[in-house]
Amino acid sequence: MSLLIKGASVLGAEPTDVYVENGVISAVGRAVSAGERVETDTVVDADGLVLLPGLVDLHTHLRQPGREDAETVSSGAAAAAAGGFTAVLAMANTSPVTDTAEAAVSVWELGREAGLADVFPVGAVTKALAGEELAELSLMNRSRAGVRVFSDDGRCVSDPRVMRRALEYVKAFGGVISQHSQDPSLAPYGSACCHEGELSGRLGLPGWPGVAEEVIVARDVMLARHTGSRVHVAHASTAGTVEVLRWAKAQAEKDGTWAVTAEVTPHHLLLTTDLLAGYDPTFKVNPPLRPAEDVEALRAALADGTIDAVATDHAPHARQDKEHAFVDAAFGMLGLEEALSVVSTVMVSSGLMDWAAVARAMSFTPARIAGLEGHGRPIEVGEPANLTLVDPAATYLVDRDRSLSLSRNNPWHDRKLTGRVVSTYLRGNRTFGG
Amino acid sequence: MTRHLLSIDDVSADDIAKLFATAAEMHDVQKREVKKLPALRGRTVINLFFEDSTRTRSSFEIAGKWLSADVINLSAKGSSASKGESLRDTVLTVTAMGVDGLVMRHSASGAAHQVAGWLDIPVVNAGDGMHEHPTQALLDCYTLQRQLGGPGSLEGKRIAIVGDLTHSRVFRSNVKALGKLGASVVAVAPPTLMPAGIAEWAKADGFATSYDLDAVLPEVDAVMMLRVQRERMSGGYFPTSREYTVGYGLTRPRLGLLRDGAPILHPGPMNRGLEISPEAADAASSRILDQVSAGVAIRMSVLYHLLAGEESA
């Protein structure tokens, strides 16, 4: 089986041709289409399109098992493919929690059956996300699912002793702890739902102060340094966190014995807290949307590499779970299908990033952080053909009813975005588009 | 007026003047032997209370009944989420039976706003979490205005609002309503009970803040005391009740700092001995019971303007 992508701009460079045979890139260059590959099964005219390595999402909620009405591994993988992703990491806060090898393998197998994106389960750090006893981290790693990223996402590993042990323990097999940074005594789970500031004061919504994130990030980088381990900051949302990261990365580079990485979500790169003024639970997310000055700091940090990756925190919810009073409604918003478009709109159109930088933040680096071998690879001969074609000039109005997700809690609905995924290929097989 | 009364933002100074004028007429009904007007005959109003409230619910009930509406009280204690039904389904269900207006209280800020978006009947916010309580603000201002000399008398007056500002929907509505009527507000509380971002908010909306009640009291024309909402506090807002009272209670000695006859208001229920002393609550200048009777008049006025329709206006 062969595929020829003609005239694509690889990572935004000069147009070229990419030839794929049996799921592997076998030739790259203008000469590819000149004649010798006449028996190509599929030819794609990619004139004006940008070719990226398949995107990798470090932070996806797929809701299976437990809430298959909101999302399944299969529907989530379809949404991922529509967003240009070839690999996603499925968070552990399902019901039951992914805190055993069996649970992890089950999610991994569901992903294989779906065949639309490689689904890698994230293991819980602690049993039942209770924050008290370590889950079977090593067994999850040794399983066929090969878990290397662990997170209690949705809750913070707030006990410093437990966090220390988790960081120490995963060193044995090169694991990383992805932390949901939320000090629950400063920003209580469930109730804290609005960035603490003038607007939360006016609206009478329980505040979620930025410092509740920053104190955990600061503590965790010190623990990572102490243990010589790897910590990953999930969904960084404040300028203060960026400052801590900047300091920590400089220290880590100097020491060379530990590492800190961080991700930012598309919604924290574009949406601001003032959207809560109408109490629309579509915009209720954890951590909450922040003011413009935080958004600016996050954009700058992503552009200069202080923040390593974009991750969606795709959080599907059934309609009835959002149709409550704001403080009672579920946290979370969809993210897979529009992530690339948001990054394109916010970062590329503004000149803050080029397509090579997008490839770094949405493919190469997340794959490296998660230890994925077949993803986030350069578009070169011999590499797996996990690829995403993007139309950088396409402008469109988001319609939540066209989503492949089972849920509709889409914060981008009716918003105009520029840059759109045209097609996605997983090991040479088209998983989305034409 | 707008179709709903969800916030003081929904009414202009002119609207407030109209509401007060109607309320004054309604107030007179209370003195009659037969306290009944036909304005809402044939209309059905539901008081849907997701949170306990004896005085506000009764006040709306009396107001509706004196206007000849059929008033149905429904208690939906606890969040609808905890019962498994969405808020949207709950309100669509209870209003699907030919209801003309909904009066709603909810423990969650913004709930009335959300509900108004789902319904095509007028919604009156009878208190939503820590957000607003617009009819309370209207009745407070109406009470003060009558006391200070009638229409226009709040213009240029200085009013202190004192106490647990963080958790107070009464504060959030009153600061807007008093501002619209030309009064200047000084909000007094310990720093831990000031809402987040109040400095920027005060600057934008033109009110003052202070931590020093003793300095403020001699400068004001009236004082509104707020209830310390201990049930909303998870601890740590102030060390002891005694310390709070010493700093921010309207104690007997502090009464002497007030100008002669300066009205004292409290939305109730009062924590006597904590934020307000018995001497202050029962002082000649206390308007606390006047607030209660004004509440019925104001709610009659609000229901009349929202529900009576053109033919009755």
Side-chain angles (χ1 to χ4, degrees):
Chain A
M1 221 181 94
S2 59
L3 164 73
L4 174 61
I5 300 172
K6 288 180 65 176
S9 165
V10 175
L11 274 55
E14 288 301 304
T16 190
D17 303 329
V18 176
Y19 194 73
V20 175
E21 285 177 297
N22 299 319
V24 176
I25 297 169
S26 60
V28 178
R30 279 311 285 187
V32 171
S33 58
E36 75 268 35
R37 307 287 183 188
V38 288
E39 299 197 4
T40 303
D41 295 327
T42 308
V43 179
V44 175
D45 178 5
D47 184 32
L49 305 183
V50 170
L51 187 65
L52 301 176
L55 308 183
V56 175
D57 189 17
L58 285 167
H59 196 142
T60 305
H61 295 274
L62 293 180
R63 306 297 183 216
Q64 189 177 13
R67 285 304 302 269
E68 289 82 355
D69 58 326
E71 198 77 288
T72 62
V73 171
S74 175
S75 67
F85 292 92
T86 53
V88 297
L89 279 88
M91 277 295 168
N93 61 341
T94 47
S95 179
V97 171
T98 308
D99 57 1
T100 63
E102 292 74 17
V105 168
S106 165
V107 171
W108 181 74
E109 284 181 340
L110 286 167
R112 274 170 55 105
E113 285 166 22
L116 294 166
D118 286 343
V119 176
F120 298 97
V122 172
V125 179
T126 66
K127 290 176 185 167
L129 311 178
E132 292 167 2
E133 298 175 79
L134 292 183
E136 293 177 342
L137 308 178
S138 174
L139 290 181
M140 285 190 270
N141 175 258
R142 288 162 191 255
S143 75
R144 278 185 295 149
V147 179
R148 296 177 87 167
V149 180
F150 299 90
S151 179
D152 278 0
D153 185 57
R155 300 181 81 82
C156 181
V157 183
S158 59
D159 183 332
R161 182 186 57 86
V162 175
M163 187 62 178
R164 173 190 173 170
R165 295 297 177 224
L167 285 165
E168 286 174 338
Y169 198 76
V170 299
K171 281 171 66 179
F173 48 85
V176 59
I177 305 296
S178 172
Q179 174 73 291
H180 172 115
S181 305
Q182 176 181 2
D183 184 326
S185 58
L186 289 171
Y189 298 133
S191 62
C193 59
C194 176
H195 170 74
E196 185 178 291
E198 184 186 354
L199 190 72
S200 72
R202 284 179 185 269
L203 295 178
L205 289 174
W208 200 130
V211 71
E213 174 175 301
E214 293 148 9
V215 295
I216 295 294
V217 175
R219 182 202 74 176
D220 285 354
V221 296
M222 300 312 283
L223 287 172
R225 182 161 83 161
H226 179 75
T227 57
S229 191
R230 292 171 58 208
V231 67
H232 176 73
V233 177
H235 41 51
S237 73
T238 78
T241 290
V242 169
E243 282 183 54
V244 176
L245 285 171
R246 207 160 266 145
W247 176 86
K249 288 200 153 202
Q251 295 302 309
E253 197 177 334
K254 212 186 306 171
D255 297 347
T257 54
W258 59 287
V260 55
T261 53
E263 68 187 37
V264 63
T265 70
H267 49 269
H268 285 111
L269 286 173
L270 179 52
L271 306 179
T272 49
T273 191
D274 51 295
L275 285 167
L276 302 193
Y279 295 101
D280 181 351
T282 306
F283 299 108
K284 180 178 174 182
V285 67
N286 197 17
L289 300 179
R290 302 292 187 186
E293 52 268 31
D294 287 314
V295 170
E296 286 301 320
L298 294 168
R299 291 177 182 179
L302 180 63
D304 72 17
T306 303
I307 290 177
D308 304 83
V310 173
T312 69
D313 197 3
H314 175 80
H317 286 294
R319 206 181 82 166
Q320 68 270 18
D321 295 325
K322 281 285 190 182
E323 288 181 339
H324 293 292
F326 189 88
V327 296
D328 298 326
F331 286 95
M333 46 181 68
L334 297 185
L336 282 170
E337 288 168 279
E338 290 82 20
L340 189 279
S341 298
V342 174
V343 171
S344 166
T345 304
V346 173
M347 304 298 291
V348 181
S349 298
S350 63
L352 283 170
M353 286 169 86
D354 58 18
W355 288 105
V358 172
R360 196 162 58 239
M362 297 188 76
S363 181
F364 298 138
T365 306
R368 178 179 56 75
I369 291 168
L372 308 183
E373 288 170 2
H375 292 272
R377 302 295 305 166
I379 299 175
E380 290 174 1
V381 172
E383 296 291 352
N386 297 320
L387 300 166
T388 299
L389 263 178
V390 176
D391 182 348
T395 295
Y396 69 108
L397 206 59
V398 177
D399 177 356
R400 66 180 159 219
D401 291 324
R402 297 183 61 148
S403 176
L404 297 177
S405 169
L406 297 182
S407 293
R408 293 291 176 266
N409 52 312
N410 190 326
W412 313 110
H413 179 64
D414 263 350
R415 191 178 281 263
K416 193 186 276 186
L417 299 175
T418 298
R420 188 173 200 177
V421 172
V422 173
S423 39
T424 308
Y425 300 91
L426 178 63
R427 289 180 284 280
N429 296 313
R430 186 169 58 80
T431 52
F432 173 75
Chain B
M1 261 184 75
T2 54
R3 188 150 160 266
H4 308 287
L5 180 61
L6 306 173
S7 158
I8 291 295
D9 294 333
D10 294 334
V11 286
S12 64
D14 285 347
D15 292 332
I16 295 173
K18 279 182 207 153
L19 284 167
F20 285 5
T22 307
E25 292 175 34
M26 302 296 183
H27 220 146
D28 292 338
V29 173
Q30 294 180 27
K31 295 173 195 147
R32 292 189 199 169
E33 195 175 333
V34 178
K35 301 177 180 64
K36 205 82 164 173
L37 294 173
L40 297 186
R41 196 165 52 202
R43 305 290 172 104
T44 302
V45 177
I46 285 198
N47 288 336
L48 180 58
F49 276 55
F50 290 88
E51 184 183 68
D52 285 337
S53 163
T54 304
R55 71 179 59 209
T56 303
R57 188 185 55 71
S58 307
S59 183
F60 271 107
E61 183 176 2
I62 292 168
K65 285 182 170 169
W66 285 358
L67 290 169
S68 301
D70 293 308
V71 180
I72 294 161
N73 291 313
L74 281 179
S75 171
K77 224 177 136 186
S79 74
S80 51
S82 66
K83 287 185 268 175
E85 184 177 52
S86 75
L87 178 63
R88 182 171 179 272
D89 284 338
T90 301
V91 296
L92 287 178
T93 302
V94 301
T95 57
M97 296 175 263
V99 174
D100 300 296
L102 177 70
V103 175
M104 190 180 118
R105 167 167 286 197
H106 200 288
S107 59
S109 301
H113 278 77
Q114 292 173 259
V115 165
W118 296 324
L119 299 179
D120 55 8
I121 56 171
V123 175
V124 179
N125 180 7
D128 63 323
M130 300 185 291
H131 179 224
E132 283 216 40
H133 195 354
T135 58
Q136 178 72 42
L138 291 171
L139 76 90
D140 288 345
C141 291
Y142 173 78
T143 303
L144 268 184
Q145 185 176 284
R146 279 163 69 95
Q147 191 63 27
L148 295 173
S153 61
L154 274 165
E155 187 76 42
K157 295 292 192 297
R158 189 162 176 79
I159 314 295
I161 306 179
V162 184
D164 181 0
L165 306 176
T166 291
H167 301 100
S168 178
R169 52 196 172 210
V170 175
F171 165 65
R172 286 177 178 79
S173 283
N174 259 311
V175 76
K176 291 179 185 172
L178 287 164
K180 286 191 175 187
L181 294 172
S184 65
V185 171
V186 53
V188 186
T192 49
L193 290 174
M194 291 276 188
I198 196 168
E200 296 84 3
W201 176 10
K203 198 173 168 190
D205 289 10
F207 64 90
T209 60
S210 172
Y211 305 140
D212 188 347
L213 182 59
D214 292 320
V216 164
L217 286 179
E219 299 174 349
V220 297
D221 298 291
V223 59
M224 294 179 163
M225 301 305 297
L226 298 174
R227 185 168 67 87
V228 174
Q229 300 190 45
R230 283 182 286 202
E231 75 278 10
R232 292 188 195 272
M233 295 185 190
S234 50
Y237 286 90
F238 52 82
T240 61
S241 299
R242 188 169 70 115
E243 186 163 319
Y244 181 85
T245 304
V246 168
Y248 298 94
L250 191 57
T251 56
R252 187 158 54 98
R254 282 207 175 98
L255 284 176
L257 297 175
L258 279 169
R259 293 174 185 166
D260 280 349
I264 296 165
L265 281 77
H266 190 299
M270 292 180 280
N271 295 305
R272 282 183 185 248
L274 180 56
E275 73 264 2
I276 190 164
S277 64
E279 292 81 1
D282 300 331
S285 57
S286 167
R287 301 273 69 85
I288 294 169
L289 291 177
D290 293 339
Q291 288 173 272
V292 177
S293 66
V296 176
I298 283 291
R299 283 158 184 143
M300 287 175 79
S301 175
V302 167
L303 291 176
Y304 175 80
H305 280 281
L306 291 180
L307 291 171
E310 292 295 319
E311 73 278 11
S312 313

